[in-house]
Amino acid sequence: MFNRNRGLWQLAAMASVSSLVAGCGILSSDSSDDKGPIVVGTTSAPSTLDPAASWDQSWELFRNIYQTLLSYPLGATTPQPDAADTCRFSDSSNTTYTCQLRSGLKFSDGHTLDARAVKYSIDRIRKINVNGGPAGLLGSLDRVQVTGDREVVFHLNKPDATFPFVLATPAMSIVDPEEYPADSLRKDDKVYGSGPYTLQAYEDGKKAELTKNGNYKGYARRENNAVTIRYFQDSSTMVSALKGQDIDVAFRGLNADDIVNLQKHNSDGALQINEGAGVEINYLVFNPKDSWASKPAVRKAVAQIIDRGAIAHKVYKDTVEPLYSMVPKGLTGHTTDFFDDFGSPSTDKARRILTEAGITERVPLTLWYTTDRYGSSTKLEFEEIKRQLEASGLFTITLKSRPWKTYVTGYQKGEYPVFGRGWFPDFPDPDNFIAPFVGKQNALGTPYPAPEITGVLLPRSRGESDRANVVSDFEQAQQILVNDARLLPLWQGKQYVAASDDISGAQQALDPSTIMLMWELYRKTSW
């Protein structure tokens, strides 16, 4: 249905020399878990355990403990059946999508997972309707119909060729109707899903202990019996734990200095450093309710001054690359419109933009960032942005920060004049780098009507199954984003996974939205 460059999503291993020549141990896995669970470190702690509340990094955990109708088996770049046995558009207009479930599905508590549970889970997301939550992904859904114990039909209010991708996101995780209230979120740390693992134990912000779910029926072939995910506040502590063999894998949140040092100083080959192409983006959001950030001239002056190359080189040691479009390089419709319109950083051009708008005094702006979501380099990044803006003589910048859990609440309430966000895609399509950020309800909690994008360009592109034919629509959408300058792309990241030399599977453990599939990890054994 969708044309994709499959190679984009395959991580290219940069394994140490010793791990490449060791020979033994690369081809076989050890399911006995004699050394205990595989321990994975990340700085990306969940903000919630309830899928109805989450449009963020909580999906990393959800993918491993809940199940969706569709998902991404190893190597797939288009959604394939998981809880479903088959799914397809059952009409020619891409407005009716029918799924037949696998037989004998059960939740981890033994309750039956049927078509009614699927409908309940999707309807619940829309009924609770958390601000900035996953209901924003379901804009094209009219209603869900159950036509049998195993058949569920999604009726769309407009053609949407991306709907299968939406169903494959962890936001659409299927929950047990007997355990999750229909009109409110769960308040405890219990999880009742049907994924490859059960959540055996959970400490908020510290760790999640996963064990095999005996009731699981899906595509995942679990290469281990148990995984413990440890959540760290910063990269350096996580890397120290990896070097000290307290964890087996480090992923998400590795800062630039730690990546460079790991690559340079791994002479004994005790670790593998895997690098691959990524589609993570980082950007600034301007709040239209703020008296200064609401002014187009202020936003465009910031866009004119920001030196993305300096941020990528000085802060991130070239482990990221400058980004001039909300759609990252490697995806259909990528452009360089911000560079084409603004060119190289220029204080003179920025001053002219402000002066022509009648702004002659220094502009006071408060920039917010999160301390623990995207790695410890975020603080350095915002200090560099402050330095650049103040060096122009045109801005006075105040920096403020919060941990992710309270940071989310703040931007959903519209408290921040300008704030930083990162984006790991829900699915690998340019639609997912534009649609989540526009409309009255979006992932930022900051309304952005953009009627031409939401009313014309996105609907038209979603009627096209061959995504090679939507380039023009996404080029137009991106030009509108540049003209408004409500969102300012900064950089596009690469993906790095560091692992002990006796761990295998890390290279293929990332799905197309860069979520780690814990079941792919295993310890090597000798022949």
Side-chain angles (χ1 to χ4, degrees):
M1 178 175 67
F2 285 61
N3 295 322
R4 292 283 189 272
N5 177 1
R6 296 174 66 89
L8 174 66
W9 306 106
Q10 299 301 314
L11 287 177
M14 293 178 58
S16 63
V17 173
S18 62
S19 67
L20 291 174
V21 302
C24 65
I26 296 180
L27 299 178
S28 58
S29 63
D30 178 6
S31 62
S32 64
D33 281 353
D34 290 338
K35 295 183 179 180
I38 291 175
V39 183
V40 177
T42 176
T43 62
S44 183
S47 63
T48 177
L49 295 181
D50 192 326
S54 173
W55 200 348
D56 62 17
Q57 78 283 359
S58 304
W59 289 10
E60 195 94 56
L61 180 59
F62 292 177
R63 177 63 80 204
N64 292 278
I65 58 178
Y66 291 105
Q67 197 172 19
T68 46
L69 288 171
L70 301 165
S71 192
Y72 298 94
L74 183 61
T77 54
T78 55
Q80 305 297 320
D82 186 5
D85 189 39
T86 60
C87 284
R88 63 185 180 89
F89 278 107
S90 48
D91 66 342
S92 59
S93 62
N94 289 346
T95 58
T96 305
Y97 196 72
T98 302
C99 289
Q100 187 81 12
L101 272 64
R102 293 176 186 263
S103 62
L105 290 174
K106 292 183 179 180
F107 291 103
S108 56
D109 58 6
H111 294 160
T112 298
L113 192 167
D114 56 14
R116 293 173 184 81
V118 175
K119 173 178 168 56
Y120 182 90
S121 300
I122 304 299
D123 287 348
R124 179 174 180 266
I125 292 170
R126 299 207 294 174
K127 187 170 185 179
I128 296 175
N129 196 20
V130 171
N131 184 31
L137 286 166
L138 295 169
S140 64
L141 178 62
D142 179 42
R143 62 188 176 90
V144 185
Q145 178 186 12
V146 172
T147 56
D149 288 344
R150 293 174 52 204
E151 187 172 85
V152 59
V153 181
F154 300 91
H155 298 277
L156 309 184
N157 52 38
K158 51 195 170 187
D160 187 358
T162 70
F163 189 71
F165 286 84
V166 172
L167 288 181
T169 66
M172 303 301 132
S173 294
I174 306 166
V175 299
D176 186 346
E178 296 185 45
E179 299 291 349
Y180 289 77
D183 54 3
S184 63
L185 300 174
R186 283 190 69 96
K187 305 299 184 183
D188 59 19
D189 292 336
K190 302 296 183 184
V191 166
Y192 298 94
S194 58
Y197 298 97
T198 59
L199 186 62
Q200 192 72 19
Y202 182 75
E203 292 183 52
D204 187 23
K206 294 182 178 180
K207 68 177 180 178
E209 296 180 6
L210 314 183
T211 57
K212 271 187 177 181
N213 176 10
N215 290 329
Y216 173 69
K217 285 188 176 183
Y219 74 86
R221 176 185 172 186
R222 291 163 293 187
E223 299 286 355
N224 59 68
N225 290 327
V227 173
T228 295
I229 306 172
R230 284 186 53 190
Y231 302 112
F232 291 85
Q233 294 296 311
D234 58 77
S235 174
S236 59
T237 306
M238 181 167 64
V239 169
S240 294
L242 179 65
K243 290 179 176 178
Q245 299 182 344
D246 292 325
I247 64 175
D248 300 300
V249 180
F251 169 65
R252 194 82 79 199
L254 289 167
N255 70 28
D257 286 334
D258 286 328
I259 292 168
V260 171
N261 288 335
L262 284 170
Q263 289 174 331
K264 286 183 177 179
H265 305 295
N266 188 33
S267 57
D268 61 357
L271 300 174
Q272 311 166 55
I273 317 300
N274 303 299
E275 176 188 329
V279 288
E280 168 194 1
I281 68 170
N282 184 274
Y283 57 98
L284 293 179
V285 182
F286 293 86
N287 187 347
K289 295 181 181 179
D290 179 76
S291 59
W292 285 106
S294 63
K295 300 178 185 297
V298 169
R299 303 194 298 264
K300 291 180 179 181
V302 173
Q304 185 63 73
I305 291 170
I306 291 291
D307 187 340
R308 296 168 176 82
I311 293 171
H313 181 67
K314 292 172 61 176
V315 177
Y316 289 98
K317 307 297 189 292
D318 299 316
T319 59
V320 305
E321 52 188 325
L323 181 64
Y324 298 94
S325 159
M326 288 300 288
V327 176
K329 184 168 64 176
L331 287 187
T332 299
H334 167 73
T335 69
T336 56
D337 284 347
F338 270 94
F339 184 82
D340 297 341
D341 280 32
F342 292 96
S344 300
S346 171
T347 295
D348 290 340
K349 290 181 180 179
R351 182 179 291 109
R352 193 176 307 124
I353 291 170
L354 292 173
T355 301
E356 290 177 354
I359 302 171
T360 56
E361 72 270 37
R362 273 182 176 255
V363 176
L365 283 178
T366 300
L367 274 59
W368 282 82
Y369 64 93
T370 177
T371 57
D372 58 353
R373 170 65 178 106
Y374 308 115
S376 48
S377 295
T378 305
K379 180 177 185 291
L380 302 178
E381 175 186 350
F382 274 75
E383 289 173 348
E384 172 62 16
I385 292 173
K386 172 183 168 73
R387 186 197 66 76
Q388 292 179 10
L389 293 175
E390 291 192 333
S392 71
L394 302 174
F395 292 89
T396 299
I397 303 298
T398 300
L399 296 182
K400 293 187 177 182
S401 61
R402 285 176 177 169
W404 178 255
K405 267 201 166 184
T406 52
Y407 185 74
V408 172
T409 302
Y411 73 65
Q412 288 176 345
K413 290 181 177 180
E415 294 179 2
Y416 310 148
V418 185
F419 60 97
R421 277 296 308 266
W423 186 252
F424 303 95
D426 305 326
F427 50 85
D429 188 273
D431 184 286
N432 195 236
F433 288 88
I434 294 178
F437 312 131
V438 295
K440 293 181 179 179
Q441 183 180 37
N442 59 51
L444 303 172
T446 305
Y448 182 6
E452 186 175 354
I453 296 178
T454 58
V456 179
L457 298 175
L458 288 177
R460 187 165 66 201
S461 70
R462 288 171 176 173
E464 179 58 66
S465 294
D466 187 345
R467 306 308 277 169
N469 295 331
V470 300
V471 173
S472 177
D473 287 333
F474 286 109
E475 288 178 344
Q476 292 179 58
Q478 288 174 89
Q479 187 60 57
I480 292 170
L481 296 181
V482 173
N483 295 341
D484 292 343
R486 286 271 305 270
L487 307 170
L488 185 61
L490 297 174
W491 52 259
Q492 175 175 348
K494 303 174 185 178
Q495 289 301 322
Y496 293 91
V497 180
S500 300
D501 187 48
D502 68 339
I503 295 295
S504 194
Q507 294 92 336
Q508 63 263 26
L510 302 185
D511 78 358
S513 50
T514 70
I515 289 175
M516 182 166 279
L517 312 177
M518 300 299 174
W519 58 83
E520 295 288 350
L521 303 173
Y522 61 89
R523 288 193 171 88
K524 301 172 187 176
T525 59
S526 59
W527 283 333

